[in-house]
Amino acid sequence: MDNLKVVILAAGQGTRMKSEVPKVLHRVLDKTMAGYVIEASQEAGADDICVIVGHQSAMVKNTLKDMYDNIKFAVQKEQLGTGHAVMQAGDFIKDGNILVLCGDTPLITAETIQKLCSVHESSDNSVTVVSMVVDDPTGYGRIVRENDNFAKIVEQKDASEDEAEINEVNTGVYIFKAEYLNKAFEKLGNNNSQGEYYLTDTLEIIKNDGGKVGIMVADDADEFMGVNSKLQLSQAIAVMKERINTKLMLEGVTITDPASTYIGKDVKIAPDTIIYPGCMLEGKTVIGKSCIIGPNTRITSSQVDDCVTIQMSVLNDAKVKSFTTVGPFAYLRPNSCIGEHCRIGDFVEIKNSNIDDGTKVSHLTYVGDSDVGKCVNFGCGTVTVNYDGKNKYRCKIGNEVFIGCNTNLVAPVEIADRAYTAAGSTITKNVPEDSLAIARNRQENKEGWRKKVNK
Ligand code: UD1
Ligand code: CA
């Protein structure tokens, strides 16, 4: 649609969330509610978006600005109602088609936005409102019809007994021709039970001024679920989770227990990968084909190539190449890159390190700020000692190195190709190629000692 402008209402406090975090920043899976609304608009082809912020405006603005480029913001200092909120967009709404969305309806889809735009355009409406039919209309504005046509919207708090019975309600999604909206704003008052400037009243004003008000009845009421409480947040999460899991399963991913599997919208998973129960996959994570993930694994913004097994582990901003196994109980921290055919075993933590192909770090080891070659074997209990309380230093470990159990590698230090360290060594000096470094006291046996001390 030409000249489409999106206004997203996000200035309200969200009192019913009982939270210090502004409502629209609460997360459904790994993304803020306002984020979904912005993305649905963008996916529908809108690139002119203005978010109305108010309550904790700096926090809302900064969070969204970090995530999305090219979003405009307008501030509503006092929350005087949804109509007043849209007015704050000022020049942004002076012309074109103004699509109004709420920041607290994260389930809306791009398809629905596109459909609304085409209904609005083909019917040549002055304004088109999306309605939905619900079993329990409590809390919503009711759509009052006259001979099937739009008459007005009555808010719950202003509804008569008869009007309260109506179960066709306002979703809070509309598209206006700018000139009709601006003209209606001139007449909009706040003479209602809440003393607010209701956006909903502009529709009746437009109708009375001879404009054409259309109603598009939504097929799927879930899409317009407004999240006003933590209970509703959990319901929105359930819907979003099911949507994402369903899509992935239809694309060939095995999810053995969708109910306990939480996958973010931006996560990509190739077919024939199996996700076992209790997994959270988040951010821009990409997982290849034929992997086995879980049970009980959390992967955030990481890249996992094909045929990788990860169980009961946590990965954050890490990269794992093909045919590698991770876990159980491993922790891969930011900027870790694990090569192909590696083994990262139990109680191993890796941070800011490169581990090349075929290397095994099987148990109870910390590798931080290190560059590790191919086919290295780490004995149990190895620690890279990379921090002196002030600065961090790197360890460099060559190819085919064998690190004995319980070795401390005090950085900066380099272990050259094919070198060995003896178990229990604290290595502080570089170790040359093909050599064995022993850095521990020799064992001395004091024979008969027990009898002597007991005498
Ligand atoms: C609103 C509609 C109602 C509709 C429902 C759908 C009005 C008067 N009522 O009611 O008809 O059925 O949405 O969910 O529009 N906001 C501001 N500034 C304000 C007031 C609100 O930015 O001054 C924002 C809120 O942050 C929220 C959105 O507008 O994102 C909707 O406000 P809310 O108070 O939740 O309206 P409802 O009572 O749900
Ligand atoms: Ca609401």
Side-chain angles (χ1 to χ4, degrees):
M1 172 180 255
D2 286 343
N3 211 357
L4 175 61
K5 293 174 172 181
V6 185
V7 175
I8 299 176
L9 304 184
Q13 179 176 4
T15 322
R16 287 165 284 174
M17 294 299 273
K18 304 214 165 74
S19 170
E20 286 175 10
V21 177
K23 175 158 81 170
V24 297
L25 296 188
H26 282 271
R27 284 171 195 273
V28 167
L29 301 173
D30 58 355
K31 207 184 281 285
T32 62
M33 292 205 276
Y36 286 101
V37 181
I38 291 171
E39 288 180 20
S41 310
Q42 289 174 335
E43 284 162 25
D47 41 30
D48 227 357
I49 299 173
C50 179
V51 181
I52 312 292
V53 294
H55 181 77
Q56 287 184 279
S57 58
M59 187 173 171
V60 177
K61 205 168 150 173
N62 291 335
T63 307
L64 296 179
K65 232 172 36 193
D66 283 350
M67 287 289 296
Y68 305 99
D69 301 334
N70 296 326
I71 305 283
K72 299 179 179 74
F73 294 90
V75 180
Q76 184 193 26
K77 286 207 186 73
E78 276 181 286
Q79 280 70 67
L80 303 179
T82 47
H84 180 260
V86 175
M87 283 181 212
Q88 309 312 306
D91 282 348
F92 183 80
I93 54 168
K94 277 292 167 274
D95 53 31
N97 291 292
I98 315 298
L99 171 67
V100 178
L101 303 171
C102 290
D104 65 352
T105 54
L107 300 173
I108 189 158
T109 63
E111 295 74 61
T112 296
I113 292 173
Q114 277 165 341
K115 194 172 155 200
L116 173 62
C117 290
S118 68
V119 166
H120 178 70
E121 212 166 28
S122 63
S123 316
D124 197 24
N125 291 333
S126 315
V127 53
T128 312
V129 55
V130 183
S131 75
M132 61 179 172
V133 177
V134 291
D135 295 334
D136 177 11
T138 311
Y140 288 106
R142 311 296 201 277
I143 304 274
V144 182
R145 291 186 186 244
E146 237 171 44
N147 305 324
D148 246 23
N149 295 322
F150 178 90
K152 60 178 176 177
I153 298 173
V154 183
E155 290 306 301
Q156 167 87 30
K157 288 180 179 152
D158 305 293
S160 68
E161 246 173 66
D162 282 352
E163 287 166 342
E165 295 283 302
I166 299 172
N167 63 357
E168 182 182 15
V169 299
N170 172 24
T171 60
V173 174
Y174 332 71
I175 184 163
F176 296 86
K177 280 187 184 155
E179 61 269 28
Y180 286 91
L181 179 62
N182 287 297
K183 229 166 67 190
F185 278 155
E186 289 168 17
K187 295 189 183 169
L188 184 62
N190 63 351
N191 184 17
N192 51 54
S193 65
Q194 305 189 77
E196 289 187 359
Y197 296 90
Y198 290 164
L199 183 63
T200 45
D201 286 348
T202 60
L203 280 77
E204 193 184 358
I205 297 170
I206 289 170
K207 189 203 71 175
N208 291 341
D209 278 353
K212 188 175 171 199
V213 181
I215 303 175
M216 179 177 116
V217 185
D219 308 322
D220 176 12
D222 270 352
E223 274 196 41
F224 302 94
M225 182 202 284
V227 173
N228 300 307
S229 67
K230 297 274 170 73
L231 176 64
Q232 288 172 329
L233 184 67
S234 77
Q235 291 160 347
I237 291 169
V239 174
M240 186 62 76
K241 177 172 76 128
E242 199 191 331
R243 252 189 217 171
I244 294 168
N245 287 345
T246 301
K247 181 168 179 278
L248 287 167
M249 287 186 283
L250 294 177
E251 285 169 0
V253 177
T254 302
I255 299 178
T256 60
D257 182 24
S260 73
T261 304
Y262 297 78
I263 303 177
K265 179 176 167 239
D266 297 336
V267 172
K268 295 191 168 61
I269 309 177
D272 276 334
T273 280
I274 302 174
I275 314 288
Y276 283 119
C279 289
M280 290 178 79
L281 311 178
E282 307 172 303
K284 301 234 181 277
T285 292
V286 179
I287 297 177
K289 62 179 184 188
S290 305
C291 292
I292 299 174
I293 309 292
N296 300 331
T297 289
R298 182 172 196 178
I299 304 180
T300 307
S301 299
S302 295
Q303 185 191 320
V304 175
D305 291 347
D306 300 337
C307 307
V308 169
T309 298
I310 301 176
Q311 50 174 332
M312 290 175 270
S313 291
V314 175
L315 279 67
N316 183 10
D317 193 14
K319 190 171 169 184
V320 179
K321 296 191 184 164
S322 299
F323 302 104
T324 282
T325 69
V326 176
F329 314 114
Y331 184 18
L332 305 188
R333 292 171 54 199
N335 219 2
S336 298
C337 177
I338 317 294
E340 291 184 9
H341 294 282
C342 290
R343 173 170 165 64
I344 307 297
D346 51 279
F347 307 104
V348 170
E349 176 174 332
I350 311 237
K351 184 211 78 178
N352 191 27
S353 294
N354 300 303
I355 305 233
D356 211 336
D357 300 345
T359 287
K360 293 187 169 64
V361 194
S362 295
H363 17 234
L364 296 153
T365 289
Y366 172 65
V367 179
D369 303 295
S370 297
D371 298 298
V372 180
K374 291 184 176 37
C375 300
V376 171
N377 189 83
F378 282 79
C380 180
T382 301
V383 175
T384 55
V385 185
N386 61 302
Y387 185 47
D388 63 6
K390 231 178 176 181
N391 295 307
K392 294 195 172 143
Y393 302 94
R394 291 192 81 83
C395 288
K396 189 167 185 311
I397 299 171
N399 297 325
E400 293 170 58
V401 164
F402 185 99
I403 306 287
C405 288
N406 245 331
T407 296
N408 295 314
L409 299 165
V410 182
V413 75
E414 182 173 343
I415 318 290
D417 291 351
R418 297 173 306 278
Y420 283 64
T421 69
S425 291
T426 292
I427 304 293
T428 55
K429 290 189 287 193
N430 291 349
V431 180
E433 284 185 3
D434 298 302
S435 48
L436 166 67
I438 309 174
R440 65 174 190 230
N441 285 341
R442 277 187 190 279
Q443 180 173 331
E444 187 186 339
N445 292 338
K446 301 199 169 178
E447 284 189 28
W449 180 84
R450 182 171 172 271
K451 272 192 184 147
K452 277 186 220 159
V453 293
N454 282 347
K455 86 175 169 195

